[in-house]
Amino acid sequence: MEIKEITIDALNPEKFISEKVEEISSIVGDRLTVNALSGGVDSSVVTMLGHKALGDNLRTYFIDNGLMREGEPQHIVSIFKNLGVHVELIDAKTTFFNELKGRTDPEDKREAITQAFYQDVFGTLVKETGAKYLLQGTNYTDVEETVAGIKRQHNILEQLGIDPEELYGYKVIEPLIQLRKVAIRKVANTFQLPEEIYNRPPFPGPALAARVIGEVTPDRVKIVRSATVIVEEELSKSGAFQYLAILHEDKVTGMRDGKRDYGLQIEVRCWESVDAQVAFPTQLPYDVLDRLAERITTEVPGVVSVTYNITRKPPSTIEAV
Ligand code: XMP
């Protein structure tokens, strides 16, 4: 299927919303539909479109995969509660960590997350609720990068020749597939979503698993989660497009209290970008870098080295996995 982009200049957000609402209702009718909200701008817009189109026939879930940032699941559920949208929190931590166990290859890890999400969690939810459709926020860049073979986005199925109905027992509707992130933010703004959602820096679908090199275990996610709290606190005022912490697989020799400490390495990345297709490292002031190193090595147990990525995308990508 050829997908045609609607550029930011061509987008009329009010018209887009009414057309998509109409399209979703006509596809689904009065059948039950489900969607997963992660709190990212894409899934937030899809949630609003779906509720406008389907009302109570849409059930929205926040899947706690154990890979989200500190306090994120509860926080997102409460934001949507304030918007009048009920979101059910599903604890799927064990399912995801079981699928991820022993996997170290990036594409293999993405595949594990796809499996856990579509088959294990949604497969079960769909069976339990009898839903026929899954509404999701795949965007134009996800398709482009997956089709180009750069990185398999976890939410891409049909473009890879996977028929979700055959494999998982439900159909997938993707109302944002013609839009890039900037255009999706414009729609979010029209929906009057809070600034915190509408202006949220991008966060990958595989969540912190995209930032753990090597095996993704609860303990290793905990380390990258603590480092992420610090990076986000220190860089949220930088105005950068995206900033993140990555946990490396290799250990390095460090020293603490005059003794050898063979410890962990955290890499910090901070990006200037418009659409994530090309990106440049932010020229952060040295005192900011110094504070990051100081805080991460003292507040995150076991870390003895903090590095800052100075590579552009390409050849780097924004995330490490
Ligand atoms: P990369 O790492 O490919 O990232 O330069 C480009 C943008 O996409 C986000 N990203 C993902 N988002 N599923 C997603 O939903 C993924 O698998 C994924 N990988 C990367 C990334 O955070 C950046 O904004």
Side-chain angles (χ1 to χ4, degrees), residues 42 110 137 139 141-142 145 150-155 181 201-207 210-211 241-242 244 269 271 275-277 279 313 316-321:
D42 305 351
R110 282 166 191 270
N139 67 39
T141 314
D142 294 338
E145 293 210 339
I150 295 167
K151 202 177 265 195
R152 177 192 168 145
Q153 305 291 332
H154 76 289
N155 54 359
K181 198 74 96 185
F203 187 64
R211 300 175 181 176
F241 174 80
Q242 200 170 349
L244 48 131
R269 296 184 179 186
W271 296 105
D275 57 9
Q277 281 186 298
K313 171 182 178 173
S316 178
T317 55
I318 286 179
E319 307 286 345
V321 169

Side-chain angles (χ1 to χ4, degrees), residues 230 256 292-301 303:
I230 299 168
R256 225 181 266 278
L292 281 166
E294 174 64 21
R295 286 196 61 192
I296 294 171
T297 50
T298 49
E299 295 174 36
V300 186
V303 178

Side-chain angles (χ1 to χ4, degrees), residues 99-100 102-114 149-154 206 209-216 249 317 319-321:
E99 287 281 2
L100 284 162
R103 306 205 199 210
T104 53
D105 173 78
E107 292 302 304
D108 207 25
K109 292 190 316 198
R110 282 166 191 270
E111 173 61 30
I113 289 170
T114 302
I150 295 167
K151 202 177 265 195
R152 177 192 168 145
Q153 305 291 332
H154 76 289
R211 300 175 181 176
V212 172
I213 301 177
E215 192 181 0
V216 182
E249 195 170 19
T317 55
E319 307 286 345
V321 169

Side-chain angles (χ1 to χ4, degrees), residues 32-36 57-61 122 125-126 129 131-136 170:
L32 196 66
T33 298
V34 290
N35 84 307
N57 279 334
L58 176 66
R59 299 236 177 111
T60 299
Y61 299 96
F122 265 93
L125 276 175
V126 160
T129 57
K132 293 281 176 284
Y133 291 93
L134 170 69
L135 209 56
Q136 78 173 9
Y170 51 84

